[in-house]
Amino acid sequence: MEFTSFLRFFFLLLLGVILVGGSWFSNNKGGDPLGLDCSLNKPWCTSKNRIQAKSDLVLDTLKEPKPVDHLTETPHHPLDPLTLQEINKVRTILSSYPPFTTSFPAIHSVSLDEPDKSVVRSWNKGLPLPPRKASVIAYLNGQSNLLIVDLESSQVTSHDINQGSGYPALTFADMAAATKAPLTNPEFMEIIAGRGVQLSDLTCAPLSTGWYGEKEEGRRVVKVQCFSNEGTVNYYMRPIEGLTVTVDVDTREILRISHTGVGIPIPTATDTDYRYSAQNKAEEMMKPLNPISMEQPKGPSFSVENGHMVKWANWEFHLKADPRAGVIISQAVVQDSVTGQPRSVMYKGFPSELFVPYMDPADSWYFKTYMDAGEYGLGLTAMSLVPLNDCPRHAHYMDGVFATPDGKPDVQSNMVCVFERYAGDISWRHSETPISGMEIREARPKVTLVVRTAASVGNYDYIVDWEFQTDGLIRVKVGLSGMLMVKGTPFRNINQVGEVERNAMTGTLVSENVIGVVHDHFITFYLDMDIDGTDNSFVKVNLEKELTSPGESPRKSYMKVRRDVAQTEKEAQVKLKLYDPAEFHVVNHGKRSRLGNPSGYKVVPGGTAASLLDHIDPAQIRASFTNNQIWVTPYNKSEQWAGGLLVWQSQGEDTLGVWSERDRPIDNKDIVLWYTLGFHHIPCQEDFPIMPTVLSSFDLKPVNFFEKNPILRASPNVEKDLPFCRASAST
């Protein structure tokens, strides 16, 4: 019997991966079903500019951009990702490499081995590219192989065997095979039958195990847990509670079966299907919204050159998809508002790790302390974005070209989008009151540029936005959606739960027989800030209460500012405190404004959360990078992944928390800022059967970087420049 539901949350990944495909969706493909597209010059679509002869507004259908041909694509920038041809070449080189000629290894990662930072910074368009190299992580005979492949010489120039703990993220083939393994085990089959589930209705998932001692040392293992998909596509809401199978990935051996869920019913499929087609329209209680869209009659204001260089307003940066980070922003520069010269802001930024611990100590839950970037890959799990829903009209779509376990390239189409956003926000404004005698009303609209990707890591969807603003601000936003990870329970109503049992519950009853378990999400970002160059410093700008002297003032207290320049890593470690406020600046003391202030940017925390786990908890040891919200380290090319290079079953000896214990000098150095955005999630009924998106963000904001307001000269919107679209009364 075919196992119809193995690895559901990675199965969709393959559907989203095509070998060669266009990286753009047509803006008008298939027409406009509601007939509201102004660009098609419908009779009811009117605009003042059609009457005023002075206007040069173009309302003709915009030309579709030329799709990317991955078969002929070539790199144009030192940081461009490996092309399809280059990944094929890596495979060819490894196939003839002596250690792999008799047995080709499983390829877990192939990515660009980026040139040294100094080389990239000194490179200019028109110069030859630095030598192209690939970084490869391969697994063979129980060993993790770390290789550097020189594509010009066709040689393996470096080959190390990992001597520490941890394994690379498992491949799809590894996890699929491990998930099938229990089907040949009589004890497992008997349990499934006893729980009343047919094999054809079984969906199982391979879960990372963390590290909790030496019992499973020396083996690559997964914890397999299963669900019933009978009557629903949302099998996450129908767990077979208490059943956990520990599988050796390499031997497919069943190491342990834990079954503690006897007597716990499998929740019903009622109202679990979240698809639009499954909703009962007759019972719809919310009045439908009319279609809404931001129209761009002249087309977008940004351009994407050579596939990866984004130019918009006063910004320019390099953009690429990455199998682990999802998306990487590099060499972000902003144009000076006075001189017009480009100025460096950030050399490289990306999500480095995502830690998701669940707060239940039971045997079938304690190990659920996921490292989603290092264990699954935010890029590998990012499937094609949905036009008009994930991304608006006129968005530019970018593919990811990654390696499969056999070393061949695959194209994940449309996994990144770039678009302009206008939500009616105000960039700046002021109106004078009548008492001044001046009739002034000045306002400017805020239009921003967004780079978006969305990773579907099992039940959860993570939407990551990099939003660039014309005033120099970069906003990094994370959205959480998808399905809760739920626990089966005998209880159908909270009134059935006694006080003692209620206090012992590790979550909220979100539906009959379904508990949403309390958990956290921590997303740690790597931010290599280069403010006007590489020699930067980290400054804590402390806000402190000052008491006035007797008779000095009617005031009894006020607030003063004290600036402390961090000399070493430990001095820069920050735990955010509401009643110990501060600002956190990265400055260049060698670049000063006309008033003598050092050029800088500050990280502006948004709503965030801190881990409450004990520092000696095995999960927190591995995730020690969440012990602080802010870290600063000296730049080191090998220190990019906060949870370590090899995360699966790692013991936490190669993490940001460990590196920073060296307490290296950081003043007036090339430094990296690390910021952790956190969420505490206490589930509620509104999260069932699928969660409305929860958002949080932080800002990178200029501080004394510009001589004055950089958008003072921004022009206001005027009616004649904007189309006016509406449906006729007959429609």
Side-chain angles (χ1 to χ4, degrees), residues 243 411 447 619 677:
L243 177 59
V411 177
V447 179
L677 190 67

Side-chain angles (χ1 to χ4, degrees), residues 361-372:
D363 187 68
S364 57
W365 280 85
Y366 75 90
F367 61 88
K368 295 179 181 179
T369 52
Y370 305 114
M371 301 279 194
D372 283 338

Side-chain angles (χ1 to χ4, degrees), residues 31-162:
D32 181 7
L34 295 175
L36 297 175
D37 186 355
C38 290
S39 65
L40 298 180
N41 291 321
K42 298 292 179 65
W44 43 259
C45 189
T46 61
S47 175
K48 286 187 177 181
N49 47 271
R50 296 185 184 172
I51 301 173
Q52 298 174 1
K54 294 181 180 180
S55 174
D56 61 350
L57 192 65
V58 178
L59 289 174
D60 294 332
T61 302
L62 298 170
K63 293 181 179 179
E64 294 185 9
K66 185 179 179 180
V68 173
D69 183 356
H70 291 293
L71 289 174
T72 60
E73 188 179 14
T74 58
H76 295 87
H77 186 281
L79 298 178
D80 280 358
L82 295 176
T83 64
L84 185 148
Q85 302 96 312
E86 288 176 322
I87 293 176
N88 272 326
K89 187 172 183 179
V90 170
R91 186 178 189 277
T92 299
I93 295 169
L94 292 179
S95 297
S96 59
Y97 181 53
F100 300 151
T101 51
T102 57
S103 180
F104 193 77
I107 303 299
H108 291 252
S109 174
V110 177
S111 59
L112 177 72
D113 179 48
E114 295 183 358
D116 289 342
K117 184 176 177 179
S118 59
V119 173
V120 177
R121 284 178 53 84
S122 62
W123 180 86
N124 289 306
K125 188 176 180 180
L127 293 176
L129 290 178
R132 300 279 287 177
K133 299 179 181 180
S135 174
V136 179
I137 301 177
Y139 188 78
L140 183 66
N141 298 327
Q143 294 181 317
S144 298
N145 297 260
L146 312 177
L147 306 103
I148 301 297
V149 178
D150 189 314
L151 293 170
E152 292 192 5
S153 66
S154 297
Q155 297 293 319
V156 174
T157 58
S158 175
H159 184 177
D160 295 320
I161 303 297
N162 178 54

